[in-house]
């Protein structure tokens, strides 16, 4: 348990605070990336870190994602705990070689003798009107790579807690930051202690009896809103925020689905080959006899992320979630 | 450990053949850039009057375009605009050195180069307005899509130039990248391929001092970016990027060399980004006004105008004509950009594959139904 004295007002500030506290506690924590120094990152998540800890601890690198992550691997080999910032989702792709070929499997390659305690922070997802290459949801690629942990906060509190947990983890973490929630505010009491949740624990954001919405990151607020709206139709929806895609919390998810008997997976990345397929399959395998209807998916369309003027048609919103909920009144043979 | 058996030969019989002695193909000395950026304006070099007046008119138009596009971001008509104010000489020269059949590979900052090559000013802004990713058919003016991921267009330029040469076509590719982009792996790989294949490519680096907030000193320890050429075996040239005549001459030489089969060239144009990285950036966090002011004094338009005036190439009439043409372009741009973009949500599914897949047809039907339901609701609401 770590206690935070002052209230972080936004998710951006909570993330910044998490790095700052981790750096203050542990001199081996280093932040590196493009524009993370004087500018504080394009989203200002690393604001002030270079000033407070010096440029050796918070370093503006040359502009080369493979180089950033590759050097972070070497730093981790030598006992540091690098926290790498990728500027935008689609600009992490040059670093995939390092991520997949080395970061993810170093422990395995070395029969456990070399760990990769590093964090790759990736602002991801759409809804902010970003031009091409600024709105991808890449979680399925990361999830498909054994050796990586993949987490994504949906609340200000979790942004702080999960990033602390990620930095403390002895295994690599891809930390996906839902950029449209960067400026979301917390209703969190400043006096409340901040919990550092273990990686791999989902949480029930809203209890309910008639169906479970399984979701994460930017889609959590959408699902909460849909759950409120659904009460008008007599639906009492439970909302499970996964927080961690890898490891996956089968226990919390299945306990919920066994209670409600119905489930919809909601995310904005593409549906085909997307995270929802894996989640639906797991739920079906484990809860088949409890299910009153097939597990449904509400996802982004199977298209390259559209230009900003069309993204509202692509992103799954409350209406699409409610439509899926209506389809849960499924009758065999229909 | 077992030694891998080679087909047809026992492991014992295997003898590696010694590699042929490696010799440098070229003497590195002629590849090295001059340490001082090449300049034409302010010297007594002869100038081609017609070319200079064309450059001048395009610079004026380009500056006006940048100002208008920046104004459009303030009115919310553009999502974002990375201005090239101060860098117009590079933009314009890059467009004017190319022949029709040649190809331009611009980055997101190089809208002006595309416009100077003949692209419709509105189409050039589609990416930044956000109605589609690329607002034009690349084949029409032989301009690749404005490229957002850094340096990734450079290998494309090499491949295209190589393909054209394999087909026996007289085509040169000119690829543009920023100083920050030279740190990416793709930059190195593109230069290496180009040199090994002797591809007809020209690489133009606009060194405008910063990659968002990171100054060149944190980007490279090389004596200059042009020096990087030598390691790949191609010539590097350093040019004053605010001297339109010099940029044009150096680019024209490199294009001619590529056309003759002489292979690639790397050109570093030393210039400066007068505005912030984009309208979303806060430049006060990483640079001081005095630096910007010093560069304003070395403005590409000012120095060309002074030179052309003193040589008697440019009179008030010509100046007025250039300003008026620029104003007309700006007014038209403003008017066309103030009209709402015409969008068809169904376009989301139209261009993912040559043929829509069954899944995409399903999703298209879903969206169509949603939109129809939405319209019905609105009609109800209005009643
Ligand atoms: C692969 C990749 N990484 C990061 C970015 C984000 N980004 C956009 S522009 C920019 C700075 C580029 O600087 P430079 O290459 O010098 O070009 P300039 O913008 O100065 O013209 C960065 C880091 C990107 N577009 N692509």
């Amino acid at each position: 348990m770590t206690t935070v004295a002052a209230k972080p007002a936004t998710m951006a500030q909570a993330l910044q605070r998490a790095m700052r506290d981790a750096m203050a506690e542990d001199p081996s924590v280093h932040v590196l990336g493009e524009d993370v120094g004087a500018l504080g990152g394009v989203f200002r998540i690393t604001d002030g870190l270079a000033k407070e800890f010096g440029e050796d601890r918070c370093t503006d690198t040359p502009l080369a994602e493979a180089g950033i992550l590759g050097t972070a691997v070497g730093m981790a080999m030598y006992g540091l705990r690098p926290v790498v910032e990728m500027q935008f989702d689609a600009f992490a792709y040059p670093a995939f070689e390092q991520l997949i070929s080395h970061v993810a499997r170093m422990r395995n390659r070395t029969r456990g003798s070399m760990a990769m305690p590093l964090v790759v922070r990736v602002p991801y997802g759409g809804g902010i009107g970003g031009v091409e290459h600024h709105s991808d949801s890449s979680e399925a690629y990361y999830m498909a790579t054994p050796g990586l942990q993949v987490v994504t906060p949906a609340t200000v509190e979790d942004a702080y807690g999960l990033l602390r947990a990620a930095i403390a983890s002895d295994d690599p973490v891809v930390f996906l930051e839902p950029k449209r929630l960067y400026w979301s505010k917390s209703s969190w009491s400043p006096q409340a202690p901040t919990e550092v949740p273990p990686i791999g624990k989902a949480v029930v954001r809203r209890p309910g009896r008639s169906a479970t919405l399984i979701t994460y990151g930017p889609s959590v607020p959408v699902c909460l809103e849909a759950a409120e709206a659904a009460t008008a139709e007599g639906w009492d929806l439970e909302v499970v925020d996964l927080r961690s895609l890898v490891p996956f919390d089968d226990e919390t998810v299945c306990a919920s689905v066994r209670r409600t008997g119905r489930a919809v997976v909601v995310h904005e990345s593409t549906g085909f080959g997307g995270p929802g397929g894996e989640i639906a399959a797991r739920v079906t395998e484990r809860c088949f006899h409890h299910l009153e209807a097939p597990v449904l998916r509400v996802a982004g369309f199977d298209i390259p992320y559209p230009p900003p003027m069309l993204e509202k048609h692509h992103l799954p919103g409350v209406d699409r979630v409610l439509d899926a909920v209506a389809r849960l009144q499924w009758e065999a043979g229909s | 450990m077992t030694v891998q058996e080679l087909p047809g030969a026992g492991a014992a019989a295997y003898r590696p053949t010694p590699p042929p002695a490696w010799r440098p193909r070229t003497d590195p000395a002629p590849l090295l850039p001059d340490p001082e950026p090449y300049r034409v304006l302010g010297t007594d070099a002869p100038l081609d009057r017609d070319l200079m007046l064309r450059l001048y008119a395009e610079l004026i138009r380009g500056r006006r375009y940048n100002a208008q596009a920046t104004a459009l971001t303030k009115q919310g008509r553009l999502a974002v605009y990375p201005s090239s104010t101060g860098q117009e000489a590079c933009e314009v020269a890059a467009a004017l050195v190319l022949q029709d059949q040649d190809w331009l590979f611009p980055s997101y900052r190089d809208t002006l180069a595309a416009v100077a090559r003949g692209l419709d000013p509105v189409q050039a802004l589609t990416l930044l307005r956000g109605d589609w990713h690329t607002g034009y058919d690349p084949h029409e003016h032989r301009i690749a899509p404005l490229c957002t991921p850094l340096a990734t267009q450079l290998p494309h330029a090499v491949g295209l130039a190589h393909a054209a040469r394999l087909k026996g076509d007289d085509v040169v590719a000119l690829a543009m990248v920023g100083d920050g982009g030279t740190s990416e792996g793709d930059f190195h790989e593109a230069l290496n391929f180009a040199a090994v294949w002797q591809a007809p490519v020209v690489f133009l680096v606009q060194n405008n001092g910063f990659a968002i907030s990171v100054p060149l000193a944190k980007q490279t320890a090389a004596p200059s970016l042009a020096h990087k050429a030598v390691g790949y075996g191609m010539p590097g040239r350093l040019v004053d990027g605010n001297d339109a005549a010099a940029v044009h001459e150096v680019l024209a030489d490199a294009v001619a060399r590529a056309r003759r089969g002489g292979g690639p060239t790397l050109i570093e144009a030393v210039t400066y980004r007068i505005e912030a990285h984009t309208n979303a950036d806060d430049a006060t966090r990483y640079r001081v006004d005095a630096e910007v002011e010093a560069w304003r004094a070395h403005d590409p338009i000012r120095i060309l105008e002074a030179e052309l005036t003193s040589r008697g190439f440019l009179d008030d009439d010509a100046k007025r004509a250039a300003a008026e043409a620029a104003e007309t372009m700006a007014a038209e741009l403003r008017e066309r950009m103030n009209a709402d973009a015409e969008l068809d949500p169904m376009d989301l599914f139209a261009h993912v594959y040559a043929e829509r897949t069954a899944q995409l047809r399903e999703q298209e039907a879903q969206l169509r139904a949603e939109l129809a339901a939405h319209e019905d609701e609105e009609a109800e609401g209005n009643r």
Side-chain angles (χ1 to χ4, degrees), chain B residues 77-139:
Chain B
R77 282 291 175 186
L78 278 183
V80 68
Y81 185 69
S83 163
S84 59
T85 294
Q87 304 178 217
E88 293 94 339
C90 302
E91 297 287 313
V92 162
L96 297 196
V97 288
L98 296 180
Q99 295 180 4
D100 269 1
Q101 76 277 16
D102 296 334
W103 275 75
L104 181 72
F105 284 80
S107 85
Y108 53 84
R109 198 178 294 285
D110 304 317
T111 333
L112 274 197
V115 171
R117 185 161 168 75
L119 186 64
D120 171 4
V122 170
Q123 287 183 350
L125 288 176
T126 306
L127 168 77
L128 302 163
R129 167 147 88 164
D131 32 339
W132 202 259
H133 301 308
T134 302
Y136 53 93
D137 174 357
H139 292 100

Side-chain angles (χ1 to χ4, degrees), chain A residues 35 39 44 47 55 60 62-65 87 131-134 301-303 305-310 313 320, chain B residues 127 129-133 148-150 180 183-184 211-214 218-219 282 285 343 345 348 360 363 366 370:
Chain A
D35 301 290
L39 191 66
R44 308 286 182 268
D47 201 10
E55 291 188 12
D60 273 336
L63 216 167
E65 293 74 14
Q87 205 156 71
V131 296
E132 193 184 12
H133 302 289
H134 290 77
F301 294 128
D302 298 323
I303 59 175
Y305 197 89
M309 285 188 177
L310 290 172
H313 299 295
R320 247 173 239 169
Chain B
L127 168 77
R129 167 147 88 164
D131 32 339
W132 202 259
H133 301 308
T148 306
L150 291 160
S183 296
E184 291 282 1
I212 307 190
S213 70
V214 179
K218 286 190 181 178
Q219 201 65 246
D282 175 8
R285 284 183 169 239
L343 298 171
L348 290 180
L360 287 179
Q363 293 172 16
Q366 180 196 338
E370 283 177 13

